[in-house]
Amino acid sequence: MKEKFIFLLFAVLFFLNTQFNSFHLIPQERFEYSKIEVSETLVIGKLLNSKHGSILEDGGFTGTYYYEKSNAPRTVIGKKSYDKYINNEVPAKYSYDAYKSQIGGQAILYSIFEKAFNLDNKINILIFRIFNSLSLSILLTLFLVWIKRKFGIATAVTCFILIIPNYWIFLYGKSTWWCNWVYFLPFVYGLFFFERNKKQSIKKYITVFSFLFFVKFWFTGFEFITVFLISSSIPYIYYLFENKLSFYYKFIGRHFLIVIIPFILAILFQLYQFKLLTGNFKDGIAHLTNAYTRRSSGEYFYEGTSNHLNILKKFHVDIITRYLGNSFINENILGIKFPFAVIIGIGAVCSYILYKKKIEKRLIAVTWFSIAAPFSWFILFKEHAHIHTHVDFFIWYCPFLLLLILLISLTLNFFFKTLK
């Protein structure tokens, strides 16, 4: 009973931190921006568009709702539309600029909810944000439950204490657009799936994971796709890894099946959306191809105080340098910057100590394998990483830094026991 209360407390504290920034662990200016940032205005535009017409109006895509003739950028008109929305106004549509790079499935579900319950829009947007905050909080708490079962309550408590100041996990946790909880869904499920029974039905594993992948594609499209693919495979590797050729064949074959079916279904639905929007499928194929190119191209450059990064860009380390250098905790609390390089360095030292003490060698191995998840995005989709420095720090935790924090917690508890 005592442990159940502790984990309920963890979930509540995670939720309060995500939804309200109750402990001021998120920098206030970032938290204010996250309340209605540029991407979330696309959801608001979709909700207004659905009120104006059907749920699949303009293909059901999210987008910017123009209720007047304006040359204002999306950032401006989107926030004006938000004001209309929360005041329960449904202005006539002048035009609609659809955002076609994602299905926008989360907004389709929000629209269905609105039409089903017909609540005040302020209540609607609050419910949608609570849903996302709560989902993230529950999944992080379940991760701690798994840690408790495997390593003990002391390690779980230490992990909680170390996780909660890492504000990048929680910054967009409530966002109706980013829906960050989906990136932890198969990872956490996989931990419990294999923990219950090491010989779980692989057929069930493939079926459930295929569904979870479709959930991801539906809610957030192909955003951070390589991160998601690697992250979701970590429990499988941790529990089943054998350094045999047969293991690699099975691993590749099973995960190909898990990915390909929901991927095809998501692409087909998105092409159907283009058919509704433009009247043909070819526009969809062209747009998706272009979207991939834009995110992976390296034609960006740096100006002003960041000009020195143009030199590092020649060696393909400019993006990594930037993402190692930003602070992972709120600098306003202690007045000190703690770059990601610091926590990674501490994690490396702890990994060495645990390895020498022959403690959880397999966990050490999968933790450092999981660094491939954020690196895959920083390297393969460097254009996106270059532009989206307001959000892409989040992928460090999917699940590399969560596992690294676990290693640090194990090391601390090892020394606590030694001192006793």
Side-chain angles (χ1 to χ4, degrees), residues 347-397:
V349 172
C350 291
S351 298
Y352 176 77
I353 293 170
L354 293 174
Y355 181 82
K356 295 297 286 185
K357 299 294 181 181
K358 298 181 180 180
I359 300 172
E360 278 298 320
K361 287 186 176 181
R362 180 167 288 204
L363 179 63
I364 296 169
V366 295
T367 297
W368 288 100
F369 170 79
S370 71
I371 199 173
F375 270 47
S376 68
W377 190 262
F378 295 148
I379 294 170
L380 297 177
F381 296 92
K382 49 188 176 293
E383 180 74 17
H384 188 283
H386 167 72
I387 295 171
H388 292 78
T389 51
H390 64 294
V391 68
D392 282 15
F393 287 97
F394 163 76
I395 63 178
W396 277 121
Y397 298 92

Side-chain angles (χ1 to χ4, degrees), residues 31-307:
F31 183 74
E32 291 299 325
Y33 172 73
S34 73
K35 287 180 179 178
I36 180 66
E37 48 96 24
V38 178
S39 296
E40 193 172 53
T41 63
L42 297 173
V43 172
I44 299 300
K46 158 65 182 166
L47 296 177
L48 283 173
N49 206 32
S50 293
K51 289 178 182 293
H52 177 76
S54 70
I55 290 171
L56 292 181
E57 187 82 8
D58 292 296
F61 286 114
T62 59
T64 306
Y65 188 92
Y66 286 84
Y67 57 87
E68 61 185 8
K69 185 177 181 179
S70 174
N71 294 321
R74 191 174 81 193
T75 52
V76 175
I77 199 67
K79 289 181 180 179
K80 286 184 177 180
S81 297
Y82 174 75
D83 291 336
K84 296 288 184 183
Y85 176 79
I86 61 173
N87 289 321
N88 295 293
E89 297 179 36
V90 187
K93 181 171 68 175
Y94 176 78
S95 64
Y96 187 72
D97 182 17
Y99 182 78
K100 303 180 285 289
S101 296
Q102 291 186 17
I103 290 172
Q106 79 280 55
I108 291 174
L109 294 179
Y110 301 151
S111 297
I112 294 172
F113 178 91
E114 285 194 339
K115 289 184 180 293
F117 294 98
N118 197 30
L119 301 175
D120 184 282
N121 288 341
K122 289 181 181 178
I123 301 298
N124 286 329
I125 198 68
L126 178 62
I127 290 172
F128 302 151
R129 287 171 176 162
I130 286 176
F131 167 76
N132 286 295
S133 294
L134 200 56
S135 297
L136 177 63
S137 302
I138 289 171
L139 285 169
L140 289 175
T141 301
L142 286 173
F143 175 62
L144 295 177
V145 170
W146 174 80
I147 290 172
K148 179 266 171 186
R149 291 182 179 180
K150 196 152 185 69
F151 305 107
I153 188 68
T155 303
V157 171
T158 306
C159 271
F160 169 79
I161 294 170
L162 295 180
I163 286 172
I164 199 165
N166 287 257
Y167 75 86
W168 284 102
I169 308 176
F170 308 100
L171 179 57
Y172 295 105
K174 66 184 175 302
S175 170
T176 58
W177 169 264
W178 292 106
C179 303
N180 285 348
W181 58 272
V182 302
Y183 297 98
F184 300 108
L185 190 57
F187 168 68
V188 172
Y189 174 82
L191 293 174
F192 284 94
F193 181 88
F194 289 114
E195 180 64 21
R196 282 192 219 100
N197 186 347
K198 307 302 186 297
K199 296 182 179 179
Q200 283 278 5
S201 166
I202 291 301
K203 183 179 179 181
K204 181 181 178 182
Y205 175 81
I206 292 173
T207 302
V208 174
F209 264 62
S210 294
F211 172 74
L212 295 180
F213 267 68
F214 184 76
V215 170
K216 185 269 182 282
F217 295 150
W218 180 263
F219 272 83
T220 62
F222 305 121
E223 200 81 61
F224 303 140
I225 181 61
T226 59
V227 178
F228 188 79
L229 291 174
I230 296 170
S231 173
S232 63
S233 70
I234 296 302
Y236 184 100
I237 296 172
Y238 178 67
Y239 280 102
L240 301 185
F241 181 77
E242 296 178 64
N243 194 17
K244 297 178 181 178
L245 199 58
S246 59
F247 169 84
Y248 297 104
Y249 283 137
K250 288 177 183 177
F251 174 77
I252 293 170
R254 289 165 182 173
H255 287 81
F256 176 79
L257 287 176
I258 286 168
V259 173
I260 195 64
I261 296 173
F263 180 82
I264 291 172
L265 289 175
I267 290 291
L268 289 176
F269 184 83
Q270 201 162 355
L271 292 178
Y272 171 67
Q273 289 179 287
F274 274 96
K275 177 69 174 177
L276 294 176
L277 180 68
T278 68
N280 65 76
F281 298 113
K282 290 182 179 179
D283 289 339
I285 296 171
H287 181 86
L288 292 175
T289 303
N290 178 260
Y292 168 79
T293 304
R294 282 187 285 109
R295 284 160 173 75
S296 58
S297 170
E299 297 306 314
Y300 59 87
F301 63 93
Y302 299 94
E303 296 179 306
T305 56
S306 298
N307 186 60

